[in-house]
Amino acid sequence: MSCEIYSFGEPLAGFYAKDQRRLSQIGDFHMTWGGDTSNVVVASARLGRSSGYITRIGNDSFGRGLMELWESNGVDTTNVIIDEESPTGMYFVSFNGERHEFDYRRKDAAARKFGPADAEKISLEGVKIFHLSGISQAISRECLEASFVLIKRARALGAKISYDLNYRGKLWSSELARAVYLKTITDFADIVSFNEEEMEILSLQGSPVEAVIEVMNMGPGIVAFRRGSQGAILGTNEGIFEGKAKKVKVSDTVGAGDAFTASLLCCNLENTGTQETLEFALRAAALTCTATGSTEGQPTRKQVMDFSGGNPVTQ
């Protein structure tokens, strides 16, 4: 199958606490699906664009559940490698309304074993945008090396490279992350997303607007600065645009940034103007926050277009 958007990274089975106590106190969870780059392709598919995922998963119940998630949303799984020896990764999370507490189980997970040899074999037929994140690179040395193989292959096919820094301190040091970020941004990236923490890691000075300009000066033509409940800033060759977050009743915020990123990619494929793209992405992010879990609230295109900013619709 030919796809416009391909994404590479780590999918995870998630277990959400059903109340707001700390994980050490929880006895009741419900299951969901996560992984930032997986969230992006699911969101893109729901927004009407063809997308495919690149990863390794275990031949276990969690791997089969992820396959069902992708296939039920129209995400192509041709490039999902089934690992007979390693398990699918997982995480546990609680949310108290303001902050999340995460506990990961990914040490020997299949996704971490995706290496350069795998990257050389997979299909990128039809690719227009290749997306990855800092997490895709941080989970293992093999994945870091594979990321650059995939980036170079996608670039050779004329694709744009989308990069979400998505720093995780438990995976690598800020010094190593900074070096990889700068290499990826300056040498390859066309679309970049980052936040305040990553602004500090990159040693960017000044205001968020100035940070966006500084990253654009490194080469990317589209740069987004996500500000959570404060909204976002989006820079393109049309200028720098600022948008406020949309008002919703928040159930959970995990996955909102991924829905925002997916919206940028979809709008780019449709040559949507910068202001309209930012508005669309902020709506999609807000709607994602109305359900618990990173994919449950991801909206369809119609839901995004019908959403005014205070009254989410259902479909």
Side-chain angles (χ1 to χ4, degrees):
M1 178 178 174
S2 175
C3 298
E4 301 165 298
I5 299 170
Y6 283 96
S7 181
F8 164 62
E10 176 194 41
L12 297 162
F15 295 86
Y16 254 86
K18 288 190 176 181
D19 58 36
Q20 296 185 347
R21 291 178 293 169
R22 294 180 59 81
L23 285 177
S24 60
Q25 303 169 325
I26 300 298
D28 199 5
F29 294 87
H30 78 265
M31 191 172 172
T32 184
W33 306 107
D36 61 338
T37 51
S38 173
N39 296 339
V40 167
V41 286
V42 173
S44 298
R46 289 186 182 177
L47 293 173
R49 310 306 304 198
S50 61
S51 64
Y53 200 47
I54 303 167
T55 192
R56 295 180 76 99
I57 56 174
N59 185 14
D60 51 32
S61 58
F62 300 140
R64 289 187 286 275
L66 283 162
M67 289 291 281
E68 291 174 6
L69 169 75
W70 298 321
E71 292 171 352
S72 66
N73 282 281
V75 174
D76 181 62
T77 58
T78 301
N79 294 317
V80 175
I81 300 171
I82 307 300
D83 191 317
E84 298 293 340
E85 299 179 355
S86 303
T88 304
M90 66 181 75
Y91 67 97
F92 298 83
V93 59
S94 65
F95 181 53
N96 66 6
E98 296 181 0
R99 298 184 65 182
H100 290 87
E101 179 187 2
F102 288 95
D103 192 352
Y104 289 88
R105 295 292 183 272
R106 55 160 50 116
K107 180 180 179 182
D108 297 312
R112 299 184 65 181
K113 299 180 180 180
F114 190 103
D118 296 320
E120 293 284 5
K121 295 176 183 177
I122 60 91
S123 170
L124 292 172
E125 183 181 355
V127 62
K128 295 181 179 178
I129 298 176
F130 173 73
H131 174 74
L132 76 162
S133 76
I135 295 175
S136 308
Q137 298 171 314
I139 56 175
S140 71
R141 178 62 181 266
E142 291 88 346
C143 286
L144 176 59
E145 294 177 0
S147 75
F148 288 111
V149 173
L150 291 168
I151 286 171
K152 291 174 183 178
R153 287 191 60 200
R155 283 290 292 270
L157 293 170
K160 294 178 180 178
I161 305 303
S162 167
Y163 188 47
D164 182 356
L165 275 58
N166 216 353
Y167 178 69
R168 293 292 186 272
K170 291 183 178 180
L171 292 177
W172 55 0
S173 68
S174 59
E175 293 79 12
L176 178 56
R178 182 177 187 275
V180 174
Y181 290 164
L182 290 174
K183 171 71 175 177
T184 308
I185 292 170
T186 57
D187 289 1
F188 303 108
D190 300 288
I191 304 168
V192 171
S193 298
F194 68 109
N195 61 21
E196 185 175 3
E197 181 181 20
E198 292 141 9
M199 174 180 167
E200 294 177 3
I201 291 172
L202 290 173
S203 300
L204 302 176
Q205 304 298 316
S207 68
V209 168
E210 290 170 324
V212 168
I213 294 171
E214 193 167 346
V215 174
M216 291 183 71
N217 288 338
M218 295 178 189
I222 300 172
V223 176
F225 184 88
R226 298 196 302 263
R227 308 179 71 190
S229 61
Q230 297 181 60
I233 299 167
L234 183 61
T236 71
N237 59 8
E238 294 181 7
I240 308 296
F241 295 79
E242 299 185 52
K244 295 182 178 180
K246 306 304 176 184
K247 295 182 179 180
V248 293
K249 183 178 180 181
V250 175
S251 294
D252 187 21
T253 58
V254 171
D258 303 325
F260 182 96
T261 296
S263 299
L264 296 185
L265 307 189
C266 294
C267 287
N268 182 262
L269 290 171
E270 295 156 15
N271 297 312
T272 305
T274 306
Q275 185 67 66
E276 294 80 6
T277 295
L278 181 57
E279 176 70 16
F280 187 95
L282 288 168
R283 289 182 181 188
L287 287 167
T288 301
C289 294
T290 61
T292 299
S294 57
T295 61
E296 285 81 347
Q298 288 179 338
T300 62
R301 178 175 295 272
K302 183 178 186 303
Q303 287 175 310
V304 176
M305 299 305 295
D306 289 348
F307 176 46
S308 65
N311 297 297
V313 298
T314 57
Q315 179 178 321

